């Protein structure tokens, strides 16, 4: 009985350790749909356009809004997007870039520049 | 408990031998390598098994001192092995006291795990090199401390990120 309790305590510690290991920071990987969505959003941000969540869900015509909504959530959890509530109408949320988004596109820019020079 | 002890000792000896074989050309001195994979086991064993883990690391370290490093000075072997077990235990006690890591590891976040890795590497490098310096094993203690700290930290991170990769591969997060 005592051994069972000890074994289960070790298992709980193991589960907590695995959870911490899972959360170790890495550079976020982006799937092709997320990448297309990010690029479409970047094009809009570049022209100082404000993009609402609903508009973002319609940015890629051949991808369903539900899929895009899921990708918006995953990009947000990866820290590559943030949402900003409209000052007047709190029902409206805008998709805005984060510091990580800037770093992401800066890395892209450097790669393109390197490729252009070779 | 005995099984856990034996498993940790076995893992320590295997990892130590593997490290010795893989990173022989990256060793800083006879006792210090720029990559030391068993450092991760020190921390994980103490985290998961407490004093049983520390005792297993002590015994495993004694075995590798004798059979792999081929040391003959018994007191030197006992001190090296003792410090090997003591350093991660001290780091964990410090983390538990100042950063709220419970005995069941509830509250252990990735940040705290990385912090614990840095602390364990610091204690290991510091304590071992104080001893090495006292018995005249190292001339440049600063270089040796740095090499051991980097080796332990890199070794721990390599194992932790390999574990992360394996866990992500075997158990998808949505499952």
């Amino acid at each position: 009985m005592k051994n069972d309790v000890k074994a289960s305590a070790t298992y709980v510690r193991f589960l907590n350790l695995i959870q911490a290991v899972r959360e170790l920071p890495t550079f976020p990987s982006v799937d092709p749909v997320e990448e297309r969505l990010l690029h479409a959003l970047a094009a809009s941000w570049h022209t100082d356009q404000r993009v609402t969540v609903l508009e973002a869900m319609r940015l890629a015509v051949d991808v369903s809004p539900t899929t895009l909504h899921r990708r918006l959530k995953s990009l947000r959890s990866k820290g590559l997007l943030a949402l900003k509530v409209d000052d007047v109408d709190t029902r409206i949320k805008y998709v805005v870039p984060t510091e990580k988004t800037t770093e992401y596109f800066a890395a892209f820019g450097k790669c393109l520049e390197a490729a252009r020079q070779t | 408990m005995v099984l856990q002890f034996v498993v940790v000792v076995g893992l320590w000896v295997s990892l130590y031998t593997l490290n010795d074989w893989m990173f022989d050309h990256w060793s800083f001195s006879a006792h210090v390598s720029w990559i030391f994979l068993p450092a991760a086991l020190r921390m994980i064993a103490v985290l998961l098994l407490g004093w049983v883990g520390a005792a297993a690391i002590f015994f495993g370290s004694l075995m590798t001192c004798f059979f792999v490093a081929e040391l003959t000075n018994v007191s030197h072997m006992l001190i090296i092995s003792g410090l090997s077990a003591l350093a991660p235990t001290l780091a964990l006690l410090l983390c538990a006291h100042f950063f709220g890591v419970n005995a069941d590891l509830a509250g252990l976040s990735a940040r705290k795990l990385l912090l614990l890795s840095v602390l364990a590497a610091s204690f290991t490098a510091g304590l071992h090199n104080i001893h090495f310096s006292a018995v005249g094993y190292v001339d440049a203690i600063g270089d040796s401390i740095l090499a051991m700290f980097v080796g332990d930290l890199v070794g721990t991170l390599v194992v932790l990120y390999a574990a992360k990769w394996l866990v992500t591969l075997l158990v998808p997060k949505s499952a």
Side-chain angles (χ1 to χ4, degrees):
Chain A
M1 183 71 182
K2 203 177 167 189
N3 267 348
D4 286 350
V5 174
K6 276 206 164 182
S8 98
T10 306
Y11 186 60
V12 170
R13 282 199 288 263
F14 172 74
L15 289 179
N16 285 326
L17 178 63
I18 288 294
Q19 189 54 37
V21 167
R22 254 182 188 282
E23 289 164 6
L24 283 171
T26 46
F27 192 79
S29 59
V30 178
D31 76 21
V33 179
E34 288 172 337
E35 196 175 321
R36 275 183 61 192
L37 182 58
L38 261 184
H39 287 198
L41 284 166
S44 302
W45 292 328
H46 189 66
T47 55
D48 289 330
Q49 237 183 298
R50 294 210 295 178
V51 184
T52 65
V53 172
L54 274 176
E55 285 164 348
M57 284 164 64
R58 290 192 296 261
L59 274 176
V61 284
D62 55 341
V63 183
S64 78
T66 318
T67 304
L68 284 182
H69 188 249
R70 268 203 299 268
R71 293 305 192 278
L72 282 173
K73 279 168 78 178
S74 60
L75 284 169
R76 204 177 153 208
S77 70
K78 289 172 188 175
L80 285 162
L81 289 181
L83 297 182
K84 190 173 176 247
V85 181
D86 187 78
D87 297 333
V88 181
D89 189 346
T90 52
R91 290 170 303 175
I92 300 172
K93 284 178 184 161
Y94 297 104
V95 182
V96 293
T98 64
E99 223 171 271
K100 235 179 197 174
T101 326
T102 317
E103 284 170 19
Y104 179 80
F105 284 112
F108 253 110
K110 276 183 191 162
C111 291
L112 281 174
E113 189 58 30
R116 197 181 62 80
Q117 284 173 358
T118 53
Chain B
M1 196 193 293
V2 176
L3 180 69
Q4 291 167 345
F5 182 88
V6 172
V7 168
V8 174
V9 172
L11 278 174
W12 173 272
V13 174
S14 314
L15 261 181
Y16 192 99
T17 314
L18 180 77
N19 199 86
D20 204 39
W21 174 70
M22 277 174 72
F23 304 116
D24 186 37
H25 53 290
W26 280 3
S27 59
F28 173 81
S29 67
H31 296 290
V32 183
S33 175
W34 286 103
I35 298 180
F36 190 64
L37 299 176
L41 185 66
R42 276 193 197 122
M43 192 181 73
I44 292 168
V46 173
L47 271 175
L48 288 181
L49 306 173
W51 70 267
V52 178
I57 293 297
F58 173 75
F59 191 72
S61 185
L62 264 184
M63 288 184 72
T64 46
C65 276
F66 187 74
F67 293 109
V68 186
E70 294 174 348
L71 299 180
T72 47
N73 185 332
V74 177
S75 61
H76 184 53
M77 281 162 57
L78 284 171
I79 292 171
I80 287 183
S81 307
L83 294 177
S84 227
L86 181 69
T89 312
L90 278 179
L92 181 59
L93 287 175
L94 209 70
C95 257
H97 189 262
F98 289 105
F99 305 109
V101 177
N102 297 341
D104 62 356
L105 302 189
L108 179 74
S109 60
R111 206 174 135 264
K112 286 175 188 170
L113 188 62
L114 291 175
L115 188 73
L116 184 64
S117 309
V118 173
L119 276 178
S122 311
F123 281 129
T124 308
L127 293 174
H128 274 90
N129 279 286
I130 288 170
H131 169 65
F132 291 156
S133 177
V135 293
Y137 261 72
V138 286
D139 301 321
I141 186 170
D143 290 352
S144 183
I145 285 185
L146 179 72
M148 202 173 203
F149 172 75
V150 171
D152 273 29
L153 192 60
V154 171
T156 305
L157 292 179
V158 166
V159 173
L160 286 181
Y161 273 90
K164 178 187 165 75
W165 174 77
L166 202 68
V167 168
T168 314
L169 197 75
L170 296 177
V171 193
K173 205 160 191 176
S174 55

